[in-house]
Amino acid sequence: MDLFFKPEKIFEFLQIEITTKCNLGGCIMCPRTYYGGRWKSGDMDMSTYLRISEAFPYTRYIHLQGWGEPMIHEKIFEMIEIGKEKGCRVGFTTNGMLLNEDNCKRLIELDLDLLGVSVDGATKETYERIRKGASFDRLMGNIETLVELRDSSKKNKPRIVFSLVKMEGNIAELPLLVDLAHRYQIEKVVATNLDCSNRASDERNKVISRKRNPFHEKIVDEAEKKADKYGIEFYSYPLLLDETTPVCGSHPLETLCITWDGSISPCVNLSLPVDVIHRMFCGEEFELNPLFFGNVNEESLLDIWGKEGYMEFREKFALREKVGEPHNIFADFFNLKKGMGKTELFRKQMEKHPPPDVCKTCYKRYGV
């Protein structure tokens, strides 16, 4: 190979589900809790991971987490090392219970780029009510140890991000979470939404809605102002469910998900480890099969990416992205003259170019 040749980066990131197992007792919003015995538990074989790694030269970032706790996997440090050696930025999201001193040291030594920590409550009571089997005090102690070890090593990695899934039962604590992040020298806070809804309780607990909620908006605004005051990067996914995003939050045009057994799917919401996905969307129930386009143990990842069916799936989003771009000034002028606002115009264009059928009843595709 030409020593000066650099492969084109096809993938912005690969989400690699190295396990579907978890060390907690069943978080209230987790689909694993809902599916119970129907959930397929498994760890990714190293042979499968090595097959995936053939695509790392074409990838900017790999995220070693799907529907499980990554630090359970006995080969996680080796997986991180392989990703780094192949020139990728590497990160994962964890519940933080296994961030003991030895594990923290290994992550720092390996130059892990990003560590997302799920903190679904800023108080012990709320956190432990949501995260069954987890300890708030233990989590905060682990975070403190990690930050101290990182700072003493004179390294700026891993970048630590606090992540909270906004729900009715915890959204009020979002400003407190920013305070907590400041106390523990955390660089970023991300507030996501309960976008994988499997049961009626998820529908009641989610805070995304087709109608504005001034109370929720005020809370997010307060948290954002606090983050700005502390110099903490802050992002809260939108609360309003509206047709304003041409391509969903999983970015299927430049990312994909690989499950623990090597199957390739556009995103985690379409690759739950069950035979049939039970989905709730705006109060209605739907059932669908997980969507896979191939398996890396049978074909290369790049060959699967180039399959006709997969390309047709992505083309629907590519077309939406194209028509969703800023329009010709004259076209905008004439449509607005007819009394059609830009948002209404955008909605009509999206209606003409719908997403794939399996994505129509998914909250994530609205960018929330």
Side-chain angles (χ1 to χ4, degrees):
M1 179 183 288
D2 187 339
L3 292 177
F4 297 99
F5 172 74
K6 290 186 177 180
E8 177 187 357
K9 299 297 184 184
I10 300 172
F11 306 108
E12 192 62 33
F13 73 84
L14 299 179
Q15 184 165 2
I16 305 172
E17 178 183 71
I18 62 175
T19 183
T20 58
K21 299 176 183 177
C22 187
N23 56 328
L24 298 186
C27 301
I28 65 170
M29 69 294 193
C30 182
R32 181 173 171 269
T33 307
Y34 166 73
Y35 287 104
R38 291 171 288 171
W39 190 263
K40 300 174 184 178
S41 296
D43 298 322
M44 180 174 285
D45 291 334
M46 276 305 295
S47 59
T48 299
Y49 187 78
L50 290 174
R51 290 276 294 174
I52 298 167
S53 73
E54 295 171 7
F56 287 177
Y58 306 93
T59 307
R60 298 186 189 280
Y61 172 73
I62 59 173
H63 195 76
L64 301 177
Q65 186 254 346
W67 291 112
E69 170 51 49
M71 295 204 70
I72 284 179
H73 202 294
E74 61 180 11
K75 298 288 187 180
I76 185 170
F77 299 116
E78 186 177 343
M79 291 173 165
I80 294 170
E81 189 171 17
I82 290 170
K84 296 293 291 185
E85 287 176 349
K86 289 184 176 286
C88 294
R89 295 175 66 245
V90 184
F92 63 90
T93 303
T94 176
N95 59 43
M97 291 298 102
L98 300 178
L99 287 174
N100 56 45
E101 185 171 342
D102 288 341
N103 285 341
C104 288
K105 286 179 179 178
R106 285 296 305 277
L107 296 177
I108 294 167
E109 290 168 358
L110 289 168
D111 278 337
L112 183 75
D113 294 281
L114 176 70
L115 185 68
V117 183
S118 298
V119 190
D120 291 306
T123 63
K124 179 180 177 68
E125 180 184 4
T126 299
Y127 173 83
E128 294 182 359
R129 174 176 53 79
I130 293 172
R131 291 262 161 191
K132 302 292 186 181
S135 164
F136 184 77
D137 294 335
R138 181 178 175 182
L139 176 63
M140 292 301 111
N142 289 348
I143 293 298
E144 188 171 24
T145 298
L146 175 61
V147 172
E148 288 177 354
L149 289 171
R150 183 190 64 180
D151 292 349
S152 64
S153 72
K154 307 300 181 184
K155 291 187 176 184
N156 59 0
K157 294 179 182 178
R159 187 182 192 215
I160 306 170
V161 178
F162 274 179
S163 176
L164 176 142
V165 179
K166 298 194 301 288
M167 296 175 282
E168 288 288 355
N170 68 358
I171 189 171
E173 294 188 4
L174 186 55
L176 291 178
L177 184 64
V178 176
D179 289 332
L180 210 60
H182 175 62
R183 175 183 171 186
Y184 287 96
Q185 304 173 56
I186 304 303
E187 291 89 344
K188 185 174 182 178
V189 173
V190 175
T192 64
N193 286 306
L194 182 52
D195 56 47
C196 183
S197 180
N198 301 111
R199 64 210 119 176
S201 60
D202 290 339
E203 288 292 280
R204 293 190 298 270
N205 209 11
K206 67 177 175 59
V207 293
I208 44 181
S209 174
R210 293 191 183 277
K211 296 181 179 180
R212 292 183 58 187
N213 186 316
F215 175 69
H216 291 160
E217 291 174 354
K218 183 178 179 181
I219 291 171
V220 173
D221 185 59
E222 181 186 348
E224 189 169 16
K225 287 178 179 176
K226 279 194 173 187
D228 186 58
K229 172 187 172 184
Y230 294 140
I232 295 173
E233 189 176 345
F234 177 84
Y235 182 73
S236 177
Y237 281 77
L239 295 165
L240 189 62
L241 191 67
D242 198 7
E243 189 71 85
T244 57
T245 306
V247 182
C248 87
S250 292
H251 309 291
L253 297 178
E254 53 191 8
T255 70
L256 55 77
C257 174
I258 306 111
T259 65
W260 68 276
D261 64 355
S263 298
I264 302 294
S265 180
C267 83
V268 291
N269 280 8
L270 289 171
S271 63
L272 276 77
V274 292
D275 291 326
V276 179
I277 297 172
H278 183 258
R279 177 183 287 176
M280 298 286 292
F281 180 75
C282 294
E284 295 187 57
E285 298 184 43
F286 300 88
E287 287 193 345
L288 60 149
N289 295 320
L291 180 64
F292 301 117
F293 288 102
N295 189 294
V296 295
N297 294 305
E298 301 167 1
E299 310 166 85
S300 77
L301 191 150
L302 293 180
D303 284 343
I304 296 171
W305 181 255
K307 277 186 172 181
E308 183 178 355
Y310 202 172
M311 292 177 68
E312 289 176 353
F313 177 92
R314 298 197 305 273
E315 182 59 31
K316 290 181 182 294
F317 282 112
L319 184 58
R320 285 169 63 85
E321 185 177 58
K322 183 177 180 180
V323 300
E325 292 175 352
H327 305 288
N328 179 289
I329 186 171
F330 297 107
D332 272 348
F333 175 77
F334 285 115
N335 278 302
L336 293 173
K337 287 285 284 185
K338 295 176 183 176
M340 183 185 294
K342 287 189 176 182
T343 302
E344 185 181 352
L345 172 62
F346 179 86
R347 289 197 189 99
K348 288 187 176 296
Q349 289 167 331
M350 293 299 99
E351 288 174 3
K352 291 179 181 177
H353 305 285
D357 288 343
V358 292
C359 301
K360 291 178 179 177
T361 56
C362 179
Y363 290 117
K364 189 182 287 286
R365 77 104 173 162
Y366 285 86
V368 296

